[in-house]
Amino acid sequence: MSDPVRTENLIIPSRTDELERVDTITERIGSEMGFDDGARADLGICVTEAVNNAIVHAHRNDEALIVEVRFTCYADALKVSIRDHGPGFDVDALPDPTAPENLLKDHGRGVMLIRALMDEVMIHRLADGMLVEMVKKL
């Protein structure tokens, strides 16, 4: 990727009612950058899923904790970074959602979905939380 063209930051409390705002901003930025309808839908699904994971799983809906979302726009790609302040998790230890015993579960597919829909996904465990970085190329 080249140098960033612009960056937009969003800081939200850990409340699921903030997901609509996150989706609206993701849609606006994707549209401004020229992503087609399908790519904007992929972005919306992945960003809201990652933010929802931060709110529900990392922060356990603790409104005192914040989720930081950064949109970094490049000429040829959008990078979205989601930072939480929860206990963290081992991404390699996540159960396989395609395993027979997990097929009927109503959760556990978010990371797999994000990896399938985005061009690059990096998940970092930090001293005080997690950082998920996702890239969607134009």
Side-chain angles (χ1 to χ4, degrees):
M1 288 184 290
S2 56
D3 290 333
V5 175
R6 71 182 176 104
T7 300
E8 191 166 326
N9 296 308
L10 175 65
I11 296 174
I12 62 168
S14 290
R15 294 193 326 254
T16 56
D17 64 355
E18 292 287 338
L19 293 172
E20 185 175 343
R21 181 165 70 132
V22 170
D23 189 52
T24 299
I25 292 169
T26 303
E27 171 67 26
R28 176 182 52 77
I29 292 171
S31 180
E32 290 170 356
M33 289 189 64
F35 283 100
D36 65 26
D37 290 347
R40 287 195 319 272
D42 290 349
L43 283 164
I45 290 166
C46 293
V47 173
T48 56
E49 177 64 29
V51 172
N52 184 68
N53 284 348
I55 293 168
V56 174
H57 299 295
H59 293 167
R60 306 268 189 245
N61 298 301
D62 182 350
E63 293 181 25
L65 298 173
I66 60 166
V67 179
E68 302 164 57
V69 184
R70 171 174 285 171
F71 299 89
T72 306
C73 305
Y74 297 87
D76 59 350
L78 173 63
K79 179 178 180 181
V80 185
S81 305
I82 295 99
R83 167 85 161 89
D84 70 54
H85 301 274
F89 67 96
D90 180 358
V91 69
D92 295 322
L94 290 174
D96 177 1
T98 64
E101 66 273 15
N102 297 325
L103 288 177
L104 298 178
K105 292 184 178 178
D106 63 355
H107 61 280
R109 292 171 183 76
V111 172
M112 181 185 78
L113 184 65
I114 290 168
R115 285 184 168 148
L117 297 177
M118 299 299 282
D119 294 306
E120 297 174 31
V121 178
M122 292 83 45
I123 301 174
H124 311 280
R125 187 171 193 164
L126 307 173
D128 64 338
M130 297 294 288
L131 175 65
V132 176
E133 299 176 296
M134 307 177 285
V135 175
K136 187 73 166 173
K137 296 176 183 172
L138 272 170

